[in-house]
Amino acid sequence: IFSNIILADEINRTPPKTQAALLEAMQEFEVTYGDKTYPLDKPFFILATQNPIEQSGTFVLPEAQQDRFLLYIKIGYPTQHDEEAILKATTGTFKKKLNRVISGDDIVRLQQLVREVSISDALISFVSDIIRATRPETTTDAYVKDWVDWGAGPRAGQAMILTAKANALLEGRLSVTLDDIKAVALPVLRHRVLVNFRAEAEGITSDKVATHLLSAIQLKGKQ
């Protein structure tokens, strides 16, 4: 765990005790062993994969751990062009030489710069409206009440704003727009909105719930 980048391949194959051991590192950026606590070096982040097809011998990640992943990104098959490039690069004698393009200190500075990107109060309210509308016990949205078992918590709003800020910065802007929020809403909510059994039977996914809310909720005030 004492590395800058951790790749947990097929994390749902690890037993619950191992999964739970990652919680402190992901949230507090430290590890406690016995009566001692050891800080993790920054930058620090965890990437994890899950096999969406084979479920034998797997363990579902608890909601508390899923919530600590910033984004849930679905990666499908590559395009034909990309697949041909993969085949060409991995079946011959060519060996890719890796060159450092950025330092750890630079990444930490960029992470701070992301937080300095501005966002209007109207867009913050829009994010709050989206997050609160995912909760079936408090929302007035009939679609959510019918299909959702558990909604997103405050950490989802934090993730949506921070990733929207990062999206704006990557596009050379220093302020967030509504399009930035819409660009990150699905991967932010995908693992934080849990649909009920009836929704699963009908093919209603968390992506469909998020898409519905993005069209149903209107932005109030100026961006």
Side-chain angles (χ1 to χ4, degrees):
I1 200 71
F2 291 92
S3 299
N4 295 113
I5 302 174
I6 303 295
L7 172 59
D9 191 29
E10 296 198 9
I11 192 172
N12 54 335
R13 290 195 180 280
T14 59
K17 187 176 181 180
T18 303
Q19 295 174 3
L22 294 174
L23 284 174
E24 182 183 14
M26 295 174 70
Q27 183 63 35
E28 308 298 338
F29 302 106
E30 61 187 26
V31 172
T32 300
Y33 181 74
D35 59 351
K36 291 186 178 181
T37 298
Y38 304 89
L40 297 170
D41 290 338
K42 293 184 179 180
F44 173 81
F45 63 96
I46 292 179
L47 304 170
T49 66
Q50 289 191 105
N51 188 326
I53 300 173
E54 187 179 0
Q55 301 300 321
S56 177
T58 63
F59 302 88
V60 178
L61 269 65
E63 288 79 2
Q65 185 174 18
Q66 291 189 54
D67 197 20
R68 282 162 174 77
F69 282 101
L70 190 68
L71 301 172
Y72 177 9
I73 300 172
K74 291 186 175 181
I75 301 176
Y77 290 115
T79 64
Q80 182 173 353
H81 177 270
D82 290 339
E83 191 158 7
E84 290 173 358
I86 292 171
L87 295 174
K88 183 178 180 180
T90 59
T91 57
T93 59
F94 173 76
K95 292 184 178 180
K96 180 69 175 179
K97 183 180 179 181
L98 299 180
N99 297 306
R100 189 180 75 172
V101 296
I102 191 171
S103 70
D105 289 340
D106 288 337
I107 292 175
V108 172
R109 282 193 288 267
L110 286 171
Q111 289 174 333
Q112 181 57 43
L113 185 59
V114 165
R115 290 181 172 272
E116 295 175 8
V117 173
S118 65
I119 180 172
S120 68
D121 290 343
L123 287 175
I124 292 177
S125 294
F126 179 76
V127 170
S128 178
D129 289 343
I130 292 288
I131 302 305
R132 296 177 67 81
T134 66
R135 302 165 188 165
E137 66 273 16
T138 57
T139 187
T140 58
D141 191 289
Y143 190 90
V144 173
K145 286 184 176 294
D146 284 343
W147 304 117
V148 176
D149 199 19
W150 192 259
R155 194 177 278 110
Q158 295 171 334
M160 194 175 296
I161 290 175
L162 285 173
T163 53
K165 287 185 174 188
N167 191 73
L169 194 62
L170 287 170
E171 295 188 359
R173 290 180 282 103
L174 296 178
S175 61
V176 175
T177 67
L178 182 60
D179 287 340
D180 291 319
I181 292 172
K182 290 183 176 181
V184 302
L186 266 62
V188 165
L189 294 175
R190 184 172 290 146
H191 53 305
R192 293 181 168 99
V193 175
L194 306 181
V195 297
N196 55 37
F197 179 79
R198 192 162 58 91
E200 292 179 357
E202 295 293 333
I204 304 296
T205 65
S206 56
D207 279 5
K208 290 184 178 180
V209 174
T211 301
H212 162 75
L213 292 176
L214 287 172
S215 62
I217 295 176
Q218 301 299 313
L219 176 66
K220 308 181 189 75
K222 295 181 179 180
Q223 292 189 42

